[in-house]
Amino acid sequence: MRSNLVIVDFRSTKPSAGVRPALVAQNNRDNSRMSNTIVVQVTTTIRRSLENTQLLIDQQHPDWQQSGPRRPSVINCSNRYHSSTAYR
């Protein structure tokens, strides 16, 4: 479902990225009819959080309590990933 956090193995595109959380960015209609899903990485590397392609989630963000991160994180929209992997 769009906006769900899932766990994705990004090693096929960037081995150092490993297995990490990702946000489903594809619309629900396409999620149900396509074999691939578009996701974006979630990372605790926040040094570029002021760039237009980054969304900072920290204690100041209205969804901080509901989103559940333990540390400030960035949704990195500069690297989209298409995957047919089953998510957890």
Side-chain angles (χ1 to χ4, degrees), residues 11-74:
R11 289 178 289 199
S12 65
T13 58
K14 185 177 180 185
S16 64
V19 177
R20 62 171 54 254
L23 179 75
V24 177
Q26 182 167 284
N27 66 65
N28 289 336
R29 179 174 176 260
D30 286 341
N31 286 340
S32 64
R33 69 184 184 93
M34 298 177 75
S35 60
N36 290 327
T37 299
I38 300 169
V39 298
V40 292
Q41 287 184 356
V42 177
T43 179
T44 57
T45 304
I46 63 171
R47 67 180 173 269
R48 295 178 301 197
S49 64
L50 296 178
E51 294 180 11
N52 291 336
T53 58
Q54 315 289 309
L55 176 63
L56 178 64
I57 304 293
D58 67 1
Q59 295 90 337
Q60 305 304 313
H61 193 280
D63 293 330
W64 173 258
Q65 292 295 326
Q66 291 177 325
S67 62
R70 291 180 235 158
R71 297 180 7 205
S73 300
V74 167

